[in-house]
Amino acid sequence: MDYHGGIGVDWFVDVEDSMRYLVVGQGITAKSVVAHCERQAVPCAQSDTLDALADVDQSQLDCLVISPGLDRRHPAIQALLKAGVQVIGDIELFMQAFSGKVIAVTGSNGKSTTVSMADHVLRASGYRSALGGNIGLAALDLLIDPPEIAVLEL
């Protein structure tokens, strides 16, 4: 496990909202979640595998943030859910923090083209928009310089 924010052996310390985060993954999304937590001064720990969750003290954890490709049916995730731990993804964190408008596109074909065209039309119309999610920046990285409208490929 990687430990962030100078937290050390005890992983988490109490913050105003008392949320203690564990981020699972090592990819772009997980790194953006850790960076977001650091920008918000919210302590978090990071693990690269779901297998490491077996060793987690559930009383030390309020929120598990999983990367999009991880299966919520994994036994370790299910055990945390049953223990009352909130399990969310980066988009949920983004939506909690973002106050602008969001255009989100899902599906199997044409997402990149659709969000690129939407962003182009918005910019040409004078809106301050930005691409994020699976194209452009990780969604949480859009919060560094928040646009008026976030166009997300999910």
Side-chain angles (χ1 to χ4, degrees), residues 65-129:
V65 184
I66 59 173
S67 294
L70 298 178
D71 188 351
R72 292 175 68 96
R73 295 173 296 182
H74 188 281
I77 294 175
Q78 288 299 305
L80 290 173
L81 282 167
K82 286 179 185 168
V85 174
Q86 183 181 16
V87 178
I88 65 172
D90 66 311
I91 300 303
E92 287 153 294
L93 277 178
F94 174 79
M95 293 303 294
Q96 291 170 9
F98 187 63
S99 61
K101 296 182 191 251
V102 176
I103 297 172
V105 179
T106 65
S108 57
N109 294 314
K111 294 184 304 289
S112 295
T113 301
T114 302
V115 296
S116 295
M117 287 182 4
D119 184 58
H120 177 76
V121 169
L122 288 166
R123 287 173 185 255
S125 300
Y127 292 98
R128 209 166 76 69
S129 64

Side-chain angles (χ1 to χ4, degrees), residues 52-64:
L53 295 180
D55 299 327
V56 170
D57 178 356
Q58 296 170 356
S59 69
Q60 294 287 311
L61 181 62
D62 293 312
C63 186
L64 176 69

Side-chain angles (χ1 to χ4, degrees), residues 29-53:
T29 298
K31 289 176 182 173
S32 75
V33 171
V34 170
H36 172 72
C37 287
E38 289 175 347
R39 286 191 302 272
Q40 301 303 310
V42 175
C44 69
Q46 183 176 14
S47 171
D48 59 348
T49 68
L50 286 171
D51 295 332
L53 295 180

